[in-house]
Amino acid sequence: AVVSTQSTGELSVHSMEVMNELLGRVVLPPEYIHLYITKCITHCHHCQDRLLQHRFVRLVCVFLSSLIRHNTVDLKELFVEVQAFCINFSRIKEAAGLFRLLKQMDCESAS
């Protein structure tokens, strides 16, 4: 029940905290995680309030960085989407950091 609510409900700081906690305790299907990540990215793009948008971008970047560092998610399928997100919000420090992490991953997988 919580899992379906997370993928269809409104995005908030609390929902991201719940998702992060879930991913630390339970193995979720990759397609569900990808759906949630896409939802987060879409929310950031459509947020009208600039301050709130920047806050969500920072949170999404920290969330994604954590997933990557803990090998919780394989971003190969979402690599282009996440990379475009980082470029679009490159003026935000956390997005630039996530972009560097993605580039590092890309270089490591190429070698």
Side-chain angles (χ1 to χ4, degrees):
V2 172
V3 171
S4 71
T5 301
Q6 285 302 99
S7 65
T8 58
E10 185 64 30
L11 186 68
S12 67
V13 173
H14 179 69
S15 74
M16 290 181 75
E17 289 172 349
V18 169
M19 178 57 95
N20 200 31
E21 188 70 26
L22 268 175
L23 290 172
R25 296 173 183 229
V26 183
V27 176
L28 296 175
E31 55 276 357
Y32 174 77
I33 299 170
H34 291 172
L35 176 67
Y36 187 78
I37 291 169
T38 299
K39 175 184 171 179
C40 290
I41 289 172
T42 301
H43 180 80
C44 289
H45 283 295
H46 294 299
C47 188
Q48 299 298 315
D49 180 330
R50 192 168 179 87
L51 291 175
L52 190 58
Q53 180 187 51
H54 286 197
R55 181 176 183 208
F56 272 114
V57 168
R58 287 192 304 273
L59 286 169
V60 168
C61 290
V62 169
F63 175 68
L64 289 173
S65 296
S66 174
L67 294 180
I68 292 167
R69 286 192 177 100
H70 292 102
N71 293 318
T72 306
V73 65
D74 182 6
L75 283 182
K76 286 183 182 117
E77 292 179 26
L78 294 173
F79 188 84
V80 172
E81 183 179 2
V82 174
Q83 188 176 40
F85 170 78
C86 292
I87 292 168
N88 191 44
F89 293 106
S90 62
R91 67 192 176 279
I92 298 172
K93 181 177 80 171
E94 290 81 359
L98 178 58
F99 184 79
R100 284 190 298 277
L101 182 60
L102 290 173
K103 283 299 180 191
Q104 179 184 346
M105 281 177 39
D106 197 29
C107 288
E108 288 172 2
S109 67
S111 52

